[in-house]
CSV table of all heavy atoms in Angstrom, one decimal:
chain,number,residue,atom,x,y,z
C,66,LEU,N,10.0,8.4,-4.9
C,66,LEU,CA,8.9,9.4,-4.5
C,66,LEU,C,8.2,9.9,-5.6
C,66,LEU,O,8.6,10.0,-6.7
C,66,LEU,CB,9.6,10.6,-3.8
C,66,LEU,CG,10.2,10.6,-2.5
C,66,LEU,CD1,10.5,11.9,-2.0
C,66,LEU,CD2,9.2,9.9,-1.5
C,67,SER,N,6.9,10.3,-5.3
C,67,SER,CA,6.1,11.0,-6.3
C,67,SER,C,5.4,12.1,-5.5
C,67,SER,O,5.2,12.0,-4.3
C,67,SER,CB,5.2,10.1,-7.0
C,67,SER,OG,4.3,9.4,-6.2
C,68,TYR,N,5.0,13.1,-6.3
C,68,TYR,CA,4.3,14.2,-5.7
C,68,TYR,C,3.0,14.4,-6.5
C,68,TYR,O,2.9,14.2,-7.7
C,68,TYR,CB,5.1,15.5,-5.9
C,68,TYR,CG,6.5,15.5,-5.3
C,68,TYR,CD1,7.6,15.5,-6.1
C,68,TYR,CD2,6.7,15.3,-4.0
C,68,TYR,CE1,8.9,15.5,-5.6
C,68,TYR,CE2,7.9,15.2,-3.4
C,68,TYR,CZ,9.0,15.3,-4.2
C,68,TYR,OH,10.3,15.2,-3.7
C,69,VAL,N,1.9,14.6,-5.7
C,69,VAL,CA,0.6,14.8,-6.3
C,69,VAL,C,0.0,16.2,-5.9
C,69,VAL,O,0.4,16.8,-4.9
C,69,VAL,CB,-0.4,13.8,-5.9
C,69,VAL,CG1,0.0,12.4,-6.5
C,69,VAL,CG2,-0.6,13.7,-4.4
C,70,ASN,N,-0.8,16.7,-6.8
C,70,ASN,CA,-1.5,18.0,-6.5
C,70,ASN,C,-0.5,19.2,-6.3
C,70,ASN,O,-0.6,20.1,-5.5
C,70,ASN,CB,-2.4,18.0,-5.3
C,70,ASN,CG,-3.5,17.0,-5.5
C,70,ASN,OD1,-4.1,16.9,-6.6
C,70,ASN,ND2,-3.7,16.1,-4.5
C,71,LEU,N,0.6,19.2,-7.1
C,71,LEU,CA,1.6,20.3,-7.1
C,71,LEU,C,0.9,21.6,-7.5
C,71,LEU,O,0.2,21.6,-8.6
C,71,LEU,CB,2.8,20.0,-8.0
C,71,LEU,CG,3.7,18.9,-7.5
C,71,LEU,CD1,4.8,18.6,-8.6
C,71,LEU,CD2,4.5,19.3,-6.3
C,72,PRO,N,1.1,22.7,-6.8
C,72,PRO,CA,0.5,23.9,-7.2
C,72,PRO,C,1.2,24.3,-8.6
C,72,PRO,O,2.3,24.1,-8.9
C,72,PRO,CB,1.0,24.9,-6.1
C,72,PRO,CG,1.4,24.1,-5.0
C,72,PRO,CD,1.8,22.8,-5.6
C,73,ASP,N,0.4,25.0,-9.4
C,73,ASP,CA,0.9,25.4,-10.7
C,73,ASP,C,2.1,26.3,-10.5
C,73,ASP,O,3.0,26.3,-11.4
C,73,ASP,CB,-0.2,26.2,-11.5
C,73,ASP,CG,-1.3,25.3,-12.0
C,73,ASP,OD1,-1.1,24.1,-12.1
C,73,ASP,OD2,-2.4,25.8,-12.2
C,74,SER,N,2.1,27.1,-9.5
C,74,SER,CA,3.3,28.0,-9.3
C,74,SER,C,4.6,27.2,-9.1
C,74,SER,O,5.6,27.5,-9.6
C,74,SER,CB,3.1,29.0,-8.1
C,74,SER,OG,2.9,28.2,-6.9
C,75,LEU,N,4.4,26.1,-8.4
C,75,LEU,CA,5.6,25.2,-8.1
C,75,LEU,C,6.0,24.5,-9.4
C,75,LEU,O,7.2,24.3,-9.7
C,75,LEU,CB,5.3,24.3,-7.0
C,75,LEU,CG,6.4,23.3,-6.5
C,75,LEU,CD1,7.7,24.1,-6.2
C,75,LEU,CD2,5.9,22.6,-5.3
C,76,LYS,N,5.1,24.0,-10.2
C,76,LYS,CA,5.4,23.4,-11.5
C,76,LYS,C,6.1,24.4,-12.4
C,76,LYS,O,7.0,24.0,-13.1
C,76,LYS,CB,4.0,23.0,-12.2
C,76,LYS,CG,3.4,21.8,-11.5
C,76,LYS,CD,2.2,21.4,-12.3
C,76,LYS,CE,1.2,20.5,-11.6
C,76,LYS,NZ,0.0,20.2,-12.3
C,77,SER,N,5.6,25.7,-12.4
C,77,SER,CA,6.2,26.6,-13.3
C,77,SER,C,7.7,26.9,-12.9
C,77,SER,O,8.6,27.1,-13.7
C,77,SER,CB,5.4,28.0,-13.2
C,77,SER,OG,4.2,27.8,-13.8
C,78,LEU,N,7.9,27.0,-11.6
C,78,LEU,CA,9.3,27.2,-11.1
C,78,LEU,C,10.2,26.1,-11.5
C,78,LEU,O,11.3,26.3,-11.9
C,78,LEU,CB,9.3,27.4,-9.5
C,78,LEU,CG,8.8,28.8,-9.0
C,78,LEU,CD1,8.7,28.8,-7.5
C,78,LEU,CD2,9.8,29.9,-9.4
C,79,ALA,N,9.7,24.9,-11.3
C,79,ALA,CA,10.4,23.7,-11.6
C,79,ALA,C,10.8,23.7,-13.1
C,79,ALA,O,11.9,23.4,-13.5
C,79,ALA,CB,9.7,22.4,-11.2
C,80,ALA,N,9.9,24.1,-13.9
C,80,ALA,CA,10.1,24.1,-15.4
C,80,ALA,C,11.1,25.2,-15.7
C,80,ALA,O,12.0,25.0,-16.5
C,80,ALA,CB,8.8,24.4,-16.1
C,81,LEU,N,11.0,26.4,-15.0
C,81,LEU,CA,11.9,27.4,-15.3
C,81,LEU,C,13.4,27.0,-15.0
C,81,LEU,O,14.3,27.3,-15.7
C,81,LEU,CB,11.6,28.6,-14.3
C,81,LEU,CG,12.4,29.8,-14.4
C,81,LEU,CD1,12.4,30.5,-15.8
C,81,LEU,CD2,12.1,30.8,-13.3
C,82,TYR,N,13.5,26.2,-13.8
C,82,TYR,CA,14.9,25.8,-13.5
C,82,TYR,C,15.3,24.5,-14.2
C,82,TYR,O,16.4,24.0,-14.0
C,82,TYR,CB,15.0,25.5,-12.0
C,82,TYR,CG,14.7,26.8,-11.2
C,82,TYR,CD1,13.8,26.8,-10.1
C,82,TYR,CD2,15.4,28.0,-11.5
C,82,TYR,CE1,13.6,28.0,-9.4
C,82,TYR,CE2,15.2,29.1,-10.7
C,82,TYR,CZ,14.3,29.1,-9.7
C,82,TYR,OH,14.1,30.3,-9.0
C,83,GLY,N,14.4,24.0,-15.1
C,83,GLY,CA,14.8,22.8,-15.8
C,83,GLY,C,14.8,21.5,-15.0
C,83,GLY,O,15.4,20.5,-15.5
C,84,VAL,N,14.0,21.4,-13.9
C,84,VAL,CA,14.1,20.2,-13.1
C,84,VAL,C,12.7,19.6,-13.0
C,84,VAL,O,12.5,18.7,-12.2
C,84,VAL,CB,14.6,20.6,-11.7
C,84,VAL,CG1,16.1,21.0,-11.7
C,84,VAL,CG2,13.8,21.6,-11.0
C,85,ASP,N,11.8,20.1,-13.8
C,85,ASP,CA,10.4,19.6,-13.7
C,85,ASP,C,10.3,18.0,-13.9
C,85,ASP,O,9.4,17.4,-13.4
C,85,ASP,CB,9.4,20.3,-14.6
C,85,ASP,CG,10.0,20.4,-16.1
C,85,ASP,OD1,11.2,20.6,-16.3
C,85,ASP,OD2,9.1,20.4,-17.0
C,86,ALA,N,11.2,17.5,-14.7
C,86,ALA,CA,11.2,16.1,-15.0
C,86,ALA,C,11.4,15.2,-13.7
C,86,ALA,O,11.1,14.1,-13.6
C,86,ALA,CB,12.2,15.7,-16.0
C,87,PHE,N,12.1,15.9,-12.7
C,87,PHE,CA,12.4,15.3,-11.5
C,87,PHE,C,11.3,15.3,-10.5
C,87,PHE,O,11.3,14.6,-9.4
C,87,PHE,CB,13.7,15.8,-10.9
C,87,PHE,CG,14.9,15.7,-11.7
C,87,PHE,CD1,15.4,16.8,-12.4
C,87,PHE,CD2,15.5,14.4,-11.9
C,87,PHE,CE1,16.6,16.7,-13.2
C,87,PHE,CE2,16.6,14.3,-12.8
C,87,PHE,CZ,17.1,15.4,-13.4
C,88,LEU,N,10.3,16.1,-10.8
C,88,LEU,CA,9.2,16.4,-9.8
C,88,LEU,C,7.9,15.8,-10.5
C,88,LEU,O,7.1,16.6,-10.9
C,88,LEU,CB,9.1,17.8,-9.5
C,88,LEU,CG,10.4,18.5,-8.9
C,88,LEU,CD1,10.1,19.9,-8.6
C,88,LEU,CD2,10.9,17.8,-7.7
C,89,VAL,N,7.8,14.5,-10.5
C,89,VAL,CA,6.7,13.9,-11.2
C,89,VAL,C,5.4,14.3,-10.4
C,89,VAL,O,5.3,14.2,-9.2
C,89,VAL,CB,6.9,12.4,-11.2
C,89,VAL,CG1,5.7,11.7,-11.8
C,89,VAL,CG2,8.2,12.1,-11.9
Side-chain angles (χ1 to χ4, degrees):
L66 280 190
S67 58
Y68 304 117
V69 296
N70 300 316
L71 289 171
D73 288 339
S74 60
L75 186 50
K76 290 180 194 178
S77 295
L78 283 170
L81 177 67
Y82 297 130
V84 297
D85 50 322
F87 300 108
L88 307 180
V89 178

